Amino acid sequence: MIERNLFCLGLSGFHRIVYREWPGPSGAPTLVCVHGLARNARDFDVIAEALSSRYRVVCPDMPGRGNSEKLADPAEYAYPTYLADVAALIARLDVDSVDWLGTSMGGLIGMMLAAQPGNPIRKLVINDIGPFLSKAGLERIRGYVGLDPTFPSIEALEAALRSNYKTFGPLTAAQWRKMALDSAWPKPDGKWGFAYDPRIGDAFKQGPLEDIDLWPIWDKIRCPTLTLRGAESDLLSHETAEEMTKRGPTSRLVEFAGIGHAPALLSEDQIGVVRDFLLA
C-alpha cells in the first residue's frame, strides 16, 4: 500500500486530498472506493487488501476527513466539490475506466458520476444508499455528524463509535478497535477527537430535513450496478432498493440480515458478493 497526495482546485483555492493505493498486478483494472459522510479511506483497508490480487485499488480521504485537508469554506463540503475532486483523482490515475465502490455518501458520488455523459464508470457498487433518502435516516445521522466531542482516551472514543455505528452490525472487538484507531485525531493535552472536520455537518443544520428524491439521476445510469443493503437500514428502504432493480441500470440487489446502515464490508460474505460482481 502506498499513500499519495493530490491537489484539487475548489472555489476557495487548492486543497490537498490523500489517497491510499494498492497497486495490484501489472495491467489490473482500477477500483475506486469512497467512504461515507463522516468516515475515511481506512474503512476499505480489508476489502482493498482482499481485492488487490486482481485490482489496483484506490481509496481517497474526501476533503475534511482522515488525512486530507479541511476546506476553507464549509459551504464547499458539497457534491460539486466531491465530484470535481474524484474527477481529478481519476485523471491522476491515467486510466480509461474505473470500477466504483461507494458507501453511503461515496455511493451517491458514484451515482452522480455514473449519470454523466461520457463517464468512466465501468461497474458501480453502491453500499446502502439509493435515489430516495428517508427523512428518518437523515435525522439519525444529524444526531451525531458535525459534533466535535473530546475524548480522554481511545477507549472512550471507541465507545462513542460503537453507539453511533451500532447499525454496522456484529463487528469483532478487533474490528471496533481498528475503526477507533482509524477514526481518531489527536487533540491538545493527549485527548482525542473524531477524524473529520465537524463543519461537514453544517448542511444538516440548515432548516428541517426532508426526504430526498434523486430518481432522475438514477434513471440516467447505464453501467452494470450492484446495490448492497443492510436489511434493517433506515436510509435505504427495501421498497426503494427493489425499485432500483426495475429502473435505471436495473441493479442487482443483495441484502444482509441483522445489519442497518451500512454493511461494513469487513466480513467474507460481504466482500465475496462485491468480488463476484466485479470479476464476473
Side-chain angles (χ1 to χ4, degrees), residues 217-233:
I217 291 174
W218 180 258
D219 289 337
K220 293 179 181 178
I221 299 172
R222 292 294 178 263
C223 64
T225 303
L226 168 66
T227 300
L228 307 177
R229 178 179 180 269
E232 300 175 11
S233 176

Side-chain angles (χ1 to χ4, degrees), residues 123-173:
K123 288 188 175 183
L124 174 65
V125 182
I126 49 178
N127 185 17
D128 210 69
I129 202 72
F132 187 83
L133 311 182
S134 74
K135 175 183 175 181
L138 295 171
E139 287 180 336
R140 177 181 58 80
I141 293 171
R142 179 167 64 176
Y144 64 84
V145 167
L147 302 179
D148 189 19
T150 297
F151 303 100
S153 65
I154 291 292
E155 289 74 19
L157 184 146
E158 180 181 331
L161 276 180
R162 286 176 178 249
S163 175
N164 291 345
Y165 296 107
K166 58 189 176 184
T167 54
F168 278 15
L171 306 186
T172 68

